Amino acid sequence: MKKKLPHIIKRILIETYLDFKDIDTDGDVSKINLKNLLSDINNGKDELNILESSVLFEFFYNGYNDFLQSKDVDYEKLDTDTESYYDELHKQYYDYINFQSLDRNNQKTLTIMKDSINCENFILIDYVKRNFNIYYFGDDI
């Protein structure tokens, strides 16, 4: 079953494509699948199927899990108004940060950047889990 992508999910995937489009896949089938999926999204594809979702799951689960372990997630908002909560998180951890002004030699900068990446990973994987019932073998179901 294919699902139309919410704007925030598509936006994150296009940003990811821009970061990864020139990466060398070294013949790794998983990286090739991710790169092809991101390219398709960048070129206008507006839906995912379960196999494509599993590709995202493979690459972004660790950041999702790090975010869950280190940040307070408002599960009530997440469950009642998911897309608005995704937008709120993205603004907090990504949109409101001026990455150009950060000192790349400062440890706090690295933490801010990691939190931003993990936030986007959280949003992607939460979307996949909610819409495709894909779970990591260690997750509570």
Side-chain angles (χ1 to χ4, degrees):
M1 180 172 79
K2 294 183 177 188
K3 303 218 179 217
K4 187 170 171 89
L5 296 174
H7 176 75
I8 185 72
I9 301 298
K10 188 162 184 169
R11 182 174 155 199
I12 291 170
L13 291 172
I14 290 171
E15 290 170 3
T16 304
Y17 166 76
L18 295 174
D19 291 339
F20 283 87
K21 69 180 179 175
D22 297 323
I23 195 169
D24 183 9
T25 61
D26 294 322
D28 181 317
V29 173
S30 294
K31 288 179 185 175
I32 292 168
N33 288 340
L34 177 64
K35 198 170 176 179
N36 288 340
L37 173 58
L38 294 174
S39 178
D40 289 347
I41 299 293
N42 186 61
N43 291 327
K45 181 179 174 104
D46 200 21
E47 56 191 15
L48 295 174
N49 62 41
I50 194 165
L51 292 175
E52 294 162 335
S53 294
S54 67
V55 169
L56 297 176
F57 201 89
E58 177 181 359
F59 281 92
F60 301 110
Y61 183 83
N62 286 339
Y64 160 87
N65 195 45
D66 286 350
F67 191 83
L68 275 182
Q69 300 301 318
S70 64
K71 303 298 174 200
D72 290 326
V73 174
D74 186 335
Y75 290 101
E76 185 176 331
K77 282 185 182 178
L78 186 61
D79 290 337
T80 58
D81 195 1
T82 306
E83 288 184 39
S84 292
Y85 189 59
Y86 289 164
D87 287 334
E88 182 182 319
L89 285 174
H90 200 261
K91 286 176 184 162
Q92 179 181 351
Y93 287 98
Y94 197 87
D95 292 346
Y96 292 157
I97 298 170
N98 180 353
F99 288 97
Q100 301 299 326
S101 69
L102 295 176
D103 176 5
R104 302 216 184 261
N105 296 316
N106 184 324
Q107 181 63 36
K108 186 171 181 161
T109 295
L110 297 176
T111 301
I112 290 169
M113 293 174 76
K114 183 177 188 225
D115 288 347
S116 295
I117 292 167
N118 287 346
C119 175
E120 289 189 333
N121 291 348
F122 171 80
I123 292 168
L124 288 173
I125 296 305
D126 186 75
Y127 174 80
V128 166
K129 289 175 78 168
R130 287 176 185 276
N131 291 281
F132 296 98
N133 295 318
I134 298 174
Y135 292 91
Y136 183 72
F137 69 89
D139 281 348
D140 293 331
I141 299 177

